[in-house]
Amino acid sequence: MTTKYPEIPKKTFADYGQMLHGFWPNKPTFTEKDYPEFEGKVIIVTGGNTGVGYETVKSLAGSTKAKIYIFSRNEEKTLKAIKDIELEVAKEYKLKPNPIGFIQTDLSDLTTIKPAVEKFLNKESRLDLIIHNAGVMTPPTGSKSKQGYELQLGTNVLGPFLLQRLLDPIFIKTAKTNPPGVSRIVWVASTAHQVAPKGGIFWEDKNFENIPISSTIRMQIYGQSKAADILLAKAWTRHHPNVKDDVISTSVCPGYLKTELSRHSSWFESFILNRVTWPRRFGAYTELYAAFSPDVKDGDYSISFGVPAHTREDLNSVESGDKLWNWCEKETDPYV
C-alpha cells in the first residue's frame, strides 16, 4: 500500500515575499498611543500568562481601562504573571492597572472549557474582545490532546473553537450594543499556514498517524492547525449573519518571535531561531493592531508588526471553511 502524503500548494512570489517579511518586518506604527480607552469593556486573552500573550495583556493593562481576563492552564504560573504584569505596568506606564482576572482552563482538554466559561459568566455580563492567543507548536511526535486528537489540532483549533462557541451568546449580545467593528475576535495563526495541506486540513489523515514524521511533516502539522485558525476566522461571521455588520473576526501572524512556543524545537532549530527572531513585545503590536485598528476589516489577515497581508489563496475557499466548521461543531457537540 502506497503511503499518502498531503498535497502542499505551490507558493506564489507574493507568498514567498510575505514569508521573508517576517525576518525584516516593518517597525510598528499602530501602538499604545492609538489604542482606545475601552473603559467599561471586557477582554479575554488566552495564554496571557506567557510569551506574546503576556505582552499583549501588559500593553492592554497599561494603555486601556478595560477589564482583562487571562484564560490559561497553570494557576500558579498565571497568578505570578499577573503580579509581574502589574509591577511592570506601574513602572513603565506610571499607573496602577485594573485588576486582571484569571480563569483556569486547558484548551487541550475540552471538558475544562465549559466550566471555565460558566465561571466567567458568573463574573461578567459582557464580552467585547477575545484574543485566541494560546497555542502549542511542534510538540514531540505522537503528542495527543486529552480527547485523542493530534495535540496541535486539539489545542490550537478545537479548544479555541469550543471556547468561542460557548462565549458566543454573551459576545453577540455585547456586539449588538457596540458600534460596528468594536467587538472583535482575533485568531492567532501563523505564516506557517503556507506549508499546510491543500485546503488547510489533511482530511485523509488529519492526526498524521499513518505517515513517517520528518521535520518537514512536523511543520506541515503545525501549519495545518494555523491554517485552520485562518479558516475559522473567515467563517465566523458567515455562520453568524445576525451580527455580520457588527463583529470583526480576523487572524494574524504575530511575527517571528522569541517565545516559549518554540520550546519543543531541536537545539539546532533553537540556535537558528534565536538569531532570526524578534522580542516578543513586537508580537503584541500585531495582535492589538488586529484588535483595534480601524483599517482592519472582517476576514482580514495581518502580519508583523501590524501590516495588512494575504493568506494562501486556497484558504479563501468557503467550502473548505465550512467543512472545517461543520467538523468542529460535530466534535465539540458533546462538550457544549
Side-chain angles (χ1 to χ4, degrees), residues 58-173:
K58 185 174 83 170
S59 186
L60 286 167
S63 57
T64 77
K65 296 179 180 178
K67 190 165 185 181
I68 306 162
Y69 283 86
I70 296 174
F71 277 51
S72 58
R73 181 178 58 188
N74 189 309
E75 180 176 11
E76 181 181 0
K77 188 174 184 178
T78 305
L79 294 179
K80 181 183 184 304
I82 289 172
K83 287 183 180 180
D84 291 343
I85 288 170
E86 290 172 346
L87 289 172
E88 291 176 28
V89 167
K91 182 178 180 180
E92 183 176 339
Y93 295 87
K94 312 300 182 189
L95 58 83
K96 182 178 181 180
N98 289 333
I100 298 169
F102 164 60
I103 304 287
Q104 189 169 26
T105 191
D106 181 355
L107 294 177
S108 70
D109 182 358
L110 300 178
T111 65
T112 71
I113 297 176
K114 186 174 183 178
V117 171
E118 290 173 343
K119 184 176 180 181
F120 173 77
L121 295 176
N122 285 332
K123 295 174 178 289
E124 298 296 337
S125 59
R126 68 181 297 127
L127 174 60
D128 300 87
L129 169 66
I130 179 164
I131 301 177
H132 292 292
N133 166 83
V136 61
M137 183 176 99
T138 59
T141 299
S143 298
K144 302 285 187 182
S145 72
K146 185 73 172 179
Q147 283 70 42
Y149 303 99
E150 187 280 317
L151 186 61
Q152 293 160 109
L153 185 64
T155 307
N156 300 352
V157 184
L158 285 171
F161 180 89
L162 177 59
L163 177 61
Q164 185 63 50
R165 184 178 181 182
L166 293 168
L167 288 169
D168 274 345
I170 187 174
F171 178 72
I172 290 170
K173 180 181 177 183

Side-chain angles (χ1 to χ4, degrees), residues 41 55 61 120 131 219 233 255 298 334:
K41 302 194 185 304
E55 297 295 337
F120 173 77
I131 301 177
M219 282 308 297
D298 184 64

Side-chain angles (χ1 to χ4, degrees), residues 153 157 196-204 206 224-225 227-228 231 324:
L153 185 64
V157 184
K198 185 177 181 180
I201 305 294
F202 185 35
W203 289 109
E204 294 88 344
K206 56 187 173 296
Q224 170 179 261
S225 72
L231 289 170
L324 174 64

Side-chain angles (χ1 to χ4, degrees), residues 12 49 55 61 74 84-85 101 147 173 176 187 210 239 246 256 287:
T12 65
N49 61 330
E55 297 295 337
N74 189 309
D84 291 343
I85 288 170
Q147 283 70 42
K173 180 181 177 183
K176 290 180 177 179
W187 307 78
N210 302 313
H239 287 266
D246 302 316
Y256 303 167
E287 293 190 8

